[in-house]
Amino acid sequence: MKTKLILIALLIAGSAQAQQQWTLRDCIIYALEHNIEIQKQKVVKQQEEVSLSTAKNRRLPNLTGDISQSFSFGRAVSPLTNSYINTNNSNSNFSISTSVPLFTGFEIPNTLELNKLNLKAATEDLNKAKEDISVEVTSSYLQVLFNIELLSVAQEQVNLSKEQLSRVTRLNEVGKASTAEVYDAKSRLAQDELSTVQAENNKQLSILDLTQLLELPSPEGFSVTVPEVEPDFASLTMPEDIFNQALLSKPSILAAQYRLAGSEKNIKIAQSAYYPQLSLGARLSTGYYNISGTTNRSFSQQWSDNFNKYIGLTLSVPIFNRFATRNQVKSARLQWHTQSLLLESSKKVLYKEIQQAYYNAVAALAKYNSSKTAVSANEESFKLMREKFENGKANAYEFNEVKMTLMKSTSDHLQAKYDYIFRSKILDFYKGIELNL
C-alpha cells in the first residue's frame, strides 16, 4: 500500500512538472543556473578567489620542520677527539625554522592589488556570460512565440479551406459547381494542412532549441507561457546616449578596465626586483649522534647540549642579473599597452553593437508599421472577396489568391512584430534594463 502511494505521488509530481508553463524569466533563471559556459566561468572566478587568498597569505610567516638521519662508515672525523678514526656513526638532526618577508620592494602589496583586480575582471566575465545567455534565451523564447502565432494563422487557413470545401461540395450537389472545383478545394485544403504540419514542426524545433539552450534533458512536456506581447512604441534612445550608459555598467567594458589597471600593477611588480629584499629568519635546532665502539651520552643529554637558537636579518641587494629585470619591466609595459588597446577595441565593439541594434530596431519598426497597414488592407480585401465568392461573383482561384495574400501579410506582420520586440529589448538591455516580457 505504501509503495502504491509513493508511485501515485511520483506520477502526480511528474504530471505537474509536465504541465508547467515557462515564462521568459523562468527560462533565463534556469539557464543561468545550469548553462555549461556559465558553470565554467564560475570555476574561473573561484580560481581567482584562491589566487587572491594566496596573495593575502604571503604576508604571514612560514614555518618549516626538518628531521634528518644519516649514517657513515669507515674513516671519518670523530666529534669527540676531532681526529680521523675508523668507525661507524649515526647522526640525527631536528630543526624548526621560520621566515617573515619585511620588505619586498612593494611586490607583495602590488600582487595583492593585482589579484583583487583579476577577481573583479573574472566576476565581470561571469556577468558577461550571463548576459550572453540571457540574450540567447530571449531570442529563442520569442522565436517560440512567433512560431506559435504562425501555427494559429496556419490553422485558421485550414478552417477557411474546410469551409470553402464544404460550400463547393454543397454547390456541386445541386449542380452549381463543377467536380473540378471540388477537387481544387480539396487540393487547397491538403496544401493548407501540409503548411500547418510544417508550422507545427517549426514550433517543435524552436522549443527543442530553447530546451537545449536551457540544458534540459528533453523537450517533452515543455511549454511556454504565451503573454499578450505588443511592441512598446516609446521613442528609441539614440545610440550615443545608450553607449554612455553602457560604458558605466557593461561587463565587457568593466572587465577590460580592471585588466588595464591590473597591467599597471604588473609594471610595479616587475619594478620591485630593482629594490633590496629584507627578511627576518629564525631557527631552533638540535641533534643526536652515536659512535660505535664508544660510550655515547644519552639522547636527552645530547638534545639539551646540542640545542641551538638562531635569529637574523637577511638583506638581498640586486646588483646585476643580466638585464632580466629591465626586460621584465619592458614586457609589463607592453602588456599594459596591449590592454589599453583591448579596452578601446571593446568600446568600439560595444558602440558598433549598439548602433546595429538601434538601426535594426528602426528598420523593424518601419516594417511593422507597413506590414500592419498591409494586413488591414488585405483583411478588407479578403472580406469583400469572401462575400463575392459566397454570392457566386468570384471563382475559387480568385478567392484563394486573396486568402494566400492575407496569410503572407499576416506572417510578415508577426515576424516584424517579434523582430521589433527583440530589437527594442536589446536596446533596453544595453541601458541596463532587465530582459523580460
Side-chain angles (χ1 to χ4, degrees):
M1 183 64 181
K2 185 177 180 180
T3 304
K4 290 182 178 180
L5 290 175
I6 293 174
L7 290 174
I8 293 172
L10 290 174
L11 290 173
I12 293 174
S15 176
Q17 182 177 4
Q19 293 173 3
Q20 177 190 0
Q21 289 190 326
W22 294 62
T23 64
L24 173 59
R25 193 63 198 150
D26 293 335
C27 292
I28 291 176
I29 292 174
Y30 189 89
L32 294 181
E33 293 176 353
H34 297 85
N35 182 263
I36 299 298
E37 292 302 318
I38 292 178
Q39 298 302 319
K40 289 165 59 178
Q41 198 58 51
K42 285 182 179 179
V43 174
V44 173
K45 180 185 174 183
Q46 290 171 352
Q47 289 174 338
E48 293 298 339
E49 290 173 346
V50 173
S51 298
L52 177 58
S53 177
T54 302
K56 289 180 179 179
N57 294 333
R58 286 189 61 190
R59 297 181 183 276
L60 301 176
N62 65 353
L63 186 64
T64 305
D66 294 301
I67 299 176
S68 66
Q69 176 68 48
S70 63
F71 300 92
S72 63
F73 308 94
R75 190 169 181 78
V77 176
S78 170
L80 299 177
T81 62
N82 198 28
S83 60
Y84 285 92
I85 60 175
N86 289 319
T87 185
N88 298 330
N89 300 332
S90 67
N91 190 14
S92 303
N93 290 289
F94 310 89
S95 67
I96 185 170
S97 61
T98 183
S99 64
V100 183
L102 300 179
F103 181 72
T104 59
F106 309 105
E107 187 262 344
I108 290 180
N110 285 317
T111 300
L112 180 59
E113 292 300 318
L114 172 62
N115 281 275
K116 288 180 179 179
L117 291 168
N118 287 340
L119 176 58
K120 290 181 179 180
T123 301
E124 295 304 328
D125 288 339
L126 175 59
N127 292 334
K128 177 65 166 57
K130 291 180 178 180
E131 283 193 348
D132 291 342
I133 193 64
S134 297
V135 171
E136 289 185 51
V137 169
T138 301
S139 176
S140 184
Y141 191 92
L142 289 175
Q143 185 65 40
V144 173
L145 295 183
F146 168 65
N147 286 330
I148 288 175
E149 290 206 38
L150 208 58
L151 176 59
S152 299
V153 173
Q155 291 170 339
E156 182 62 25
Q157 295 300 311
V158 170
N159 293 334
L160 291 174
S161 294
K162 287 180 178 179
E163 291 179 7
Q164 182 183 357
L165 175 59
S166 178
R167 182 179 180 282
V168 171
T169 300
R170 289 195 304 270
L171 292 175
N172 175 259
E173 290 173 352
V174 298
K176 292 185 178 181
S178 65
T179 304
E181 289 178 308
V182 174
Y183 282 116
D184 182 69
K186 289 182 178 181
S187 175
R188 173 56 56 188
L189 175 59
Q191 291 177 0
D192 288 341
E193 288 176 340
L194 179 61
S195 297
T196 302
V197 172
Q198 184 61 48
E200 175 67 29
N201 185 53
N202 290 338
K203 186 195 80 169
Q204 293 300 326
L205 288 175
S206 62
I207 289 177
L208 176 63
D209 290 339
L210 179 57
T211 55
Q212 289 178 340
L213 196 58
L214 299 180
E215 305 290 349
L216 290 175
S218 170
E220 296 299 325
F222 180 88
S223 63
V224 301
T225 301
V226 183
E228 294 292 333
V229 184
E230 290 299 330
D232 182 6
F233 296 107
S235 299
L236 297 176
T237 307
M238 295 302 294
E240 294 79 6
D241 297 330
I242 298 176
F243 176 68
N244 291 330
Q245 295 179 39
L247 284 178
L248 303 176
S249 61
K250 286 296 106 178
S252 58
I253 301 301
L254 295 177
Q257 290 174 341
Y258 289 136
R259 289 193 169 94
L260 178 61
S263 64
E264 294 176 357
K265 297 299 178 182
N266 264 328
I267 295 175
K268 294 181 179 180
I269 291 171
Q271 290 173 336
S272 67
Y274 285 128
Y275 294 89
Q277 310 286 315
L278 180 63
S279 63
L280 172 67
R283 184 179 70 248
L284 300 176
S285 64
T286 187
Y288 169 78
Y289 61 87
N290 184 9
I291 303 175
S292 62
T294 63
T295 302
N296 297 282
R297 287 175 296 169
S298 66
F299 182 86
S300 60
Q301 288 177 329
Q302 291 193 42
W303 179 277
S304 176
D305 293 344
N306 296 331
F307 193 77
N308 176 263
K309 305 171 187 177
Y310 162 83
I311 185 171
L313 293 172
T314 301
L315 180 66
S316 175
V317 181
I319 298 176
F320 179 70
N321 63 353
R322 306 179 189 89
F323 303 109
T325 300
R326 183 195 67 177
N327 290 333
Q328 288 171 357
V329 173
K330 285 184 177 180
S331 177
R333 285 175 175 159
L334 290 173
Q335 290 176 0
W336 176 88
H337 185 63
T338 299
Q339 289 297 332
S340 65
L341 293 176
L342 290 175
L343 175 58
E344 290 304 314
S345 176
S346 297
K347 290 180 179 180
K348 289 183 178 180
V349 169
L350 177 63
Y351 187 64
K352 181 180 179 181
E353 290 175 352
I354 292 173
Q355 279 186 314
Q356 290 177 339
Y358 174 81
Y359 289 109
N360 283 334
V362 170
L365 178 59
K367 184 178 179 181
Y368 175 84
N369 291 329
S370 61
S371 64
K372 184 178 181 180
T373 303
V375 168
S376 299
N378 287 324
E379 285 177 344
E380 290 298 323
S381 177
F382 177 75
K383 182 179 179 181
L384 294 174
M385 179 56 68
R386 189 172 187 176
E387 292 177 357
K388 288 182 179 181
F389 181 70
E390 291 176 351
N391 294 325
K393 296 180 180 180
N395 57 37
Y397 176 79
E398 293 172 328
F399 178 80
N400 287 329
E401 282 294 315
V402 174
K403 187 180 73 168
M404 291 301 298
T405 301
L406 174 60
M407 181 178 180
K408 185 178 184 307
S409 64
T410 303
S411 175
D412 291 341
H413 179 60
L414 289 174
Q415 186 173 14
K417 169 187 170 182
Y418 282 103
D419 188 33
Y420 176 74
I421 290 173
F422 178 70
R423 301 299 177 184
S424 61
K425 291 294 181 183
I426 293 300
L427 287 177
D428 290 341
F429 186 63
Y430 281 118
K431 292 188 290 185
I433 300 175
E434 189 178 74
L435 288 171
N436 208 344
L437 295 179

